[in-house]
Amino acid sequence: MKLNSERMKAGTKRAPQRSLLKANGLTKEEINRPLVGVVNSFNEVVPGHIHLREIAEAVKAGVRMAGGTPLEFPTIAVCDGLAMGHKGMKYSLGSRELIADSIEIMAEAHAFDALVFIPNCDKVVPGMLMAAARLNLPSIFVSGGPMLVGKLDNQDMDLNQVFEAVGAYEAGEITAERLEEVENNSCPGCGSCSGMFTANSMNCLTEVLGLGLPGNGTIPAVHAGRKRLAKQAGMKVMELLEKNIRPLDILTEQAFENALTVDMAMGCSTNTILHLPAIAHEAGVKLDLNKVNEISERTPHLCKLSPAGQYHIEDLDYAGGMPAVMKQLADLGLIHTDLLTVTGKKVKDNIAGVRVKDSDVIRSKDTAYNAKGGLAVLWGNLAPDGAVVKKAAVSEKMLVHQGPARVFDSEEEAVEAIWGKKINPGDVIVIRYEGPKGSPGMREMLTPTSAVAGMGLDESVALITDGRFSGATRGASIGHISPEAAEGGPIALIEEGDIISIDIPNNKLELLVDEAELERRRTNWQPPEPKITRGYMARYARLVTSASTGAVFKK
C-alpha cells in the first residue's frame, strides 16, 4: 500500500523533512508508519470541549495499537451558548468554513494518510464533516459526547431552562435567587448540552451518515465508554486505511437520505437543515429542501427529547441509542441498509440484533408522537426559497396561526420589546437582517425565543426570522427565511401590522399583502449598510450564499 505521506517522507530527497519529524521526537520506525492526523477541537472556553485532551489521548492510543503514528493538531471551536445574545453570535456560523479550511490546510501541507476527527459542539461537527468530504482521506469521527442532565428540586434541567428562566425573571415570575439556583444546577459538567440541540443532533447524524461508530452521538461525555469508543476509533481508522475506505465511499445520496429520515424521526435541531446541505455540497451530492418535506411525510416522529419533550441524550443512550432508532426505521423500510460505514460493515450489519430498551424514549410507529416527521420546510410569498420550523416543538395551538407583524431589524430590538412587555398574544414577531449576509453570520435566536417561552407567550406568539434558531428553541419559531432581507427578500418588505399567515401542517408561510403593494415597497427598498466592514466576517458576508443552499460560499 502506497502511503500519501510518502510524498513528504520517503527517499533521500526527503531527508530534511524526516529531520524535522525527528525534531518532534519521532523515531525512524514511527516515521515509516502511516501518519494519522488527530484533529482535536479542544479549548478551555467551551464546556463541550474542555475534556477533549483525554479523548485525543485515547484516540492516539488506539492508532498506536493498530500500527500507526498519530500526530495531533487543533482547530477552533465556538460555544454558541456563550456567544448567544451579543455580537459574538455573528461569528459562530462563519467558524464552520474556517474549521473546514484550516483542516484542509493542515492535512494537505503535512501529507497525512488518514484522519481522526474529534468534534463536539455546533459548527465544529459540520465543519469537520465538510473537511472530511473535501479531503477524502480515510477518516473517522469520535465526538466528545453529551453533558449529563442537571437536577433541581428533582427536576431535570438543561441550558434551555436557564434561558427560559431569564424570561420568567423579567416577567416577575421568579426571584433573582431562584434564577441563580437554575443557573447553578443546569449544566453539571463537560459535554455538549444535554438536549437534542444542534451539537447532539449533528453528532447523532454523523453516526447515521456512517462516519461515526455506534455510540458516537449518545454515550455521555463522562462515561468510560466514551474513552473506549475513542480507542476503537483510533484502531478502526487504520483498518479504513488498509481497506482504502474513504468518506466519499460512505457519504452517498442514500446516506444523506438516511440522515434526513432519522432527523425527522427524532425532531432534531433546525440547524441540521443548514448543515446537511453544506456537507452534501462538499461530497458532490445535491440535497434539495423539497426532500425534507418528502421524507417528513413518510417518517413517523418517534423521539421527543428536550426541548420538545422530557427526555435527554443520556436517556436516548440507555434506550439503545442511534442503532435502536435506525432499527425501528429499517423495520419500517424507511432507511437504506445496504450502505457502507466506518465499521467496515454495512448499516444492516451494524443494527442486526439491536432492540429498543425503553419504548417511552424510542417509540414505535403505532405509538409515535406523530405520523409525520419533526421538521418541516415552509413555502409561500414570504419564503419563496423556503423556511424551516421544528414542528415537533410547536404547541398544537400554534400549528396554524394568523396575526399582526411586529417588525424588528435586529435581535436586540426584538429582545428589548419582549422583555419590555410590548408583545401581545397573537403577534408575529419578525426579526430580519439577521441572515447569513445581513447579520452577518445568521445569528441564533435562543434569547428571544426563550424570552417568549419564559414569559408564557410560546402558545400565543410566533416568531419568524431570516436568522436561525438554537436546537434548544421551542415554540412557533420559523427560521432560515430565504431569500433573506439583506438580499431584498420579501421579509424585508414587511411593515408593522401586516397580517402573516402560518400553516405548518400544509407547509405554508404567507404575507397577506397584495402583490401591487409589495411591488411598490420593493421599488422603495434600499439595501442596508454592512454591519461589519473589516476582518473575516466582512469577507464572509461577501461570499456567503442563502440559507436555502446551506449558507455555503459562492463558487
Side-chain angles (χ1 to χ4, degrees):
M1 174 180 62
K2 184 174 176 60
L3 296 173
N4 186 50
S5 60
E6 287 179 15
R7 63 187 167 96
M8 180 179 72
K9 68 185 185 183
T12 55
K13 292 184 176 63
R14 294 292 180 255
Q17 285 80 4
R18 291 193 298 274
S19 179
L20 289 167
L21 290 172
K22 287 177 180 177
N24 290 335
L26 296 182
T27 65
K28 181 178 180 179
E29 292 77 12
E30 286 175 304
I31 293 169
N32 287 340
R33 291 171 185 161
L35 301 183
V36 178
V38 177
V39 191
N40 188 2
S41 54
F42 162 82
N43 64 49
E44 292 184 340
V45 181
V46 185
H49 294 238
I50 193 76
H51 62 304
L52 294 189
R53 280 177 173 161
E54 293 180 10
I55 302 297
E57 289 304 317
V59 165
K60 289 187 282 187
V63 171
R64 293 188 186 102
M65 283 191 281
T69 298
L71 296 170
E72 182 183 341
F73 65 90
T75 188
I76 61 171
V78 170
C79 176
D80 277 21
L82 290 172
M84 197 76 66
H86 58 90
K87 183 181 177 182
M89 180 47 70
K90 294 177 183 289
Y91 289 79
S92 174
L93 183 59
S95 74
R96 188 185 70 179
E97 269 53 40
L98 275 179
I99 289 162
D101 290 350
S102 65
I103 294 167
E104 175 192 359
I105 288 168
M106 287 295 289
E108 293 287 12
H110 303 112
F112 287 110
D113 297 302
L115 296 167
V116 182
F117 293 88
I118 308 175
N120 214 22
C121 290
D122 296 33
K123 307 310 156 304
V124 186
V125 190
M128 288 188 175
L129 285 165
M130 290 163 70
R134 187 185 302 174
L135 291 161
N136 202 31
L137 293 168
S139 298
I140 194 168
F141 281 65
V142 56
S143 78
M147 186 184 292
L148 292 178
V149 70
K151 296 281 186 182
L152 179 61
D153 298 335
N154 207 31
Q155 295 292 315
D156 288 348
M157 305 292 288
D158 59 43
L159 182 66
N160 194 44
Q161 270 80 30
V162 191
F163 275 95
E164 292 189 4
V166 173
Y169 172 75
E170 293 291 336
E173 294 178 8
I174 63 172
T175 63
E177 290 73 23
R178 180 61 178 181
L179 176 59
E180 188 173 5
E181 273 192 297
V182 174
E183 173 187 330
N184 289 342
N185 289 279
S186 295
C187 296
C190 67
S192 48
C193 296
S194 58
M196 186 48 77
F197 311 148
T198 306
N200 291 326
S201 295
M202 290 307 304
N203 283 325
C204 288
L205 294 184
T206 298
E207 198 176 320
V208 179
L209 283 168
L211 286 180
L213 295 173
N216 178 71
T218 60
I219 297 173
V222 296
H223 283 197
R226 179 59 55 180
K227 289 184 184 176
R228 293 196 297 271
L229 190 74
K231 290 177 183 176
Q232 289 162 359
M235 290 186 282
K236 187 60 71 173
V237 79
M238 297 302 296
E239 182 184 322
L240 296 172
L241 176 62
E242 182 183 348
K243 293 180 177 178
N244 196 30
I245 296 174
R246 296 170 182 260
L248 295 187
D249 299 322
I250 294 170
L251 294 175
T252 63
E253 183 176 355
Q254 290 183 324
F256 284 100
E257 288 177 1
N258 279 359
L260 281 174
T261 301
V262 173
D263 199 350
M264 298 306 122
M266 296 178 63
C268 292
S269 164
T270 51
N271 281 314
T272 59
I273 309 303
L274 192 65
H275 299 318
L276 287 174
I279 299 159
H281 175 77
E282 293 287 354
V285 173
K286 173 73 173 172
L287 198 60
D288 172 310
L289 286 185
N290 286 298
K291 195 170 279 292
V292 175
N293 287 343
E294 177 190 321
I295 290 174
S296 185
E297 281 294 309
R298 63 175 183 253
T299 306
H301 182 203
L302 304 181
C303 301
K304 253 194 181 182
L305 306 183
S306 176
Q310 62 180 312
Y311 299 112
H312 291 79
I313 301 296
E314 64 192 80
D315 300 309
L316 178 61
D317 189 59
Y318 302 144
M322 300 315 298
V325 174
M326 294 175 74
K327 182 66 163 60
Q328 290 282 71
L329 295 168
D331 288 347
L332 295 171
L334 293 175
I335 62 170
H336 307 285
T337 60
D338 205 30
L339 306 182
L340 187 62
T341 73
V342 288
T343 64
K345 301 174 183 178
K346 295 185 175 179
V347 171
K348 61 186 177 185
D349 303 312
N350 295 341
I351 63 176
V354 169
R355 65 183 180 85
V356 173
K357 299 173 185 175
D358 188 332
S359 57
D360 289 330
V361 178
I362 304 173
R363 296 192 175 190
S364 67
K365 179 183 178 181
D366 293 337
T367 59
Y369 291 99
N370 197 293
K372 297 179 183 179
L375 298 181
V377 175
L378 310 185
W379 310 89
N381 71 340
L382 187 44
D385 294 340
V388 181
V389 63
K390 188 172 185 173
K391 64 181 181 181
V394 179
S395 163
E396 285 192 16
K397 298 176 183 177
M398 292 297 293
L399 290 171
V400 177
H401 180 75
Q402 199 171 104
R406 304 296 306 281
V407 184
F408 304 97
D409 287 345
S410 72
E411 177 185 5
E412 287 84 357
E413 290 178 24
V415 170
E416 186 178 344
I418 297 165
W419 283 344
K421 301 181 182 179
K422 296 177 181 177
I423 302 300
N424 303 309
D427 286 349
V428 178
I429 301 168
V430 177
I431 306 178
R432 62 190 180 191
Y433 298 106
E434 291 287 6
K437 178 178 178 177
S439 185
M442 202 180 182
R443 287 195 287 181
E444 285 187 346
M445 302 288 167
L446 183 55
T447 300
T449 59
S450 296
V452 167
M455 298 182 82
L457 295 170
D458 54 304
E459 293 195 347
S460 61
V461 167
L463 191 155
I464 69 171
T465 181
D466 52 7
R468 59 194 177 92
F469 296 112
S470 163
T473 291
R474 62 186 177 94
S477 302
I478 300 165
H480 304 204
I481 289 177
S482 301
E484 63 173 291
E487 293 280 13
I491 189 172
L493 309 179
I494 302 172
E495 294 184 358
E496 188 82 7
D498 285 349
I499 301 300
I500 292 172
S501 174
I502 299 165
D503 186 347
I504 294 172
N506 289 303
N507 306 105
K508 291 182 179 178
L509 181 62
E510 299 281 348
L511 177 60
L512 302 185
V513 174
D514 68 66
E515 188 54 41
E517 171 61 15
L518 289 179
E519 190 54 43
R520 183 191 67 78
R521 296 179 190 179
R522 193 173 286 114
T523 302
N524 294 328
W525 177 80
Q526 293 292 324
E529 291 296 317
K531 294 178 182 175
I532 295 179
T533 57
R534 300 177 61 192
Y536 173 70
M537 289 310 295
R539 297 196 302 276
Y540 179 90
R542 292 195 295 270
L543 292 171
V544 73
T545 61
S546 167
S548 62
T549 57
V552 297
F553 280 173
K554 296 170 185 173
K555 290 185 179 179

